[in-house]
């Protein structure tokens, strides 16, 4: 398998910490890009067939138990945390165990943000 290209400032940061990780650098890179895209997705758009769409990367870290998913996620968090301010702290949740609990969490998030200056915001990392 060829070595993946870790592009841009996020790629440079991942390459810099890669020798100290027990996780796959590609997993760290993709998770960091997902964090970043969610943070800017409401304000940065790309044109597609004449329609402006938010810049979003949807990813899932998939592997067996103890294979480094959590380590990759924590490393990605470390890479982008300062740049994103409080975004990750206010948009991350855990303990979602069913579709119903996910729907309830998103509803609660929508209700909590509906009266804010920027309007409703249901972006959530699970």
């Amino acid at each position: 398998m060829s070595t993946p290209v870790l592009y841009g400032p996020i790629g440079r940061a991942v390459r810099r910490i890669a020798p100290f990780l027990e996780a796959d650098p590609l997993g760290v890179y993709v998770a960091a890009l997902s964090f970043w895209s969610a943070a800017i997705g409401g304000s940065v758009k790309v044109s597609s067939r004449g329609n402006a769409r938010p810049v979003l990367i949807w990813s899932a870290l998939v592997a067996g138990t103890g294979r480094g998913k959590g380590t990759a996620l924590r490393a990605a968090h470390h890479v982008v945390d300062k740049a994103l301010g409080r975004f990750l702290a206010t948009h991350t949740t855990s303990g979602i165990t069913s579709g119903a609990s996910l729907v309830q969490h998103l509803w609660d998030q929508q209700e909590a943000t509906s009266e804010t200056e920027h309007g409703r915001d249901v972006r959530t990392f699970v």
Side-chain angles (χ1 to χ4, degrees):
M1 184 170 142
S2 64
T3 305
V5 175
L6 305 178
Y7 182 76
I10 292 175
R12 283 191 298 277
V14 171
R15 282 194 308 272
R16 183 173 290 156
I17 66 171
F20 309 101
L21 293 176
E22 293 182 8
D24 183 349
L26 183 58
V28 176
Y29 181 67
V30 170
L33 286 178
S34 293
F35 285 152
W36 188 264
S37 76
I40 67 169
S43 58
V44 177
K45 307 233 188 267
V46 65
S47 180
S48 174
R49 298 182 191 153
N51 297 322
R53 300 180 188 278
V55 175
L56 291 172
I57 295 175
W58 299 65
S59 65
L61 299 176
V62 179
T65 302
R67 303 296 293 185
K69 299 178 301 290
T71 305
L73 199 58
R74 285 187 295 279
H77 189 280
H78 173 77
V79 166
V80 297
D81 189 38
K82 275 189 180 179
L84 298 182
R86 295 210 17 90
F87 179 79
L88 293 177
T90 59
H91 289 81
T92 302
T93 190
S94 63
I96 303 292
T97 58
S98 69
S101 62
L102 177 59
V103 168
Q104 183 63 50
H105 175 78
L106 295 175
W107 174 259
D108 293 342
Q109 180 104 357
Q110 175 179 299
E111 289 296 303
T113 60
S114 63
E115 300 289 326
T116 63
E117 179 180 336
H118 299 292
R120 78 179 175 91
D121 184 1
V122 295
R123 296 173 293 174
T124 303
F125 292 101
V126 180

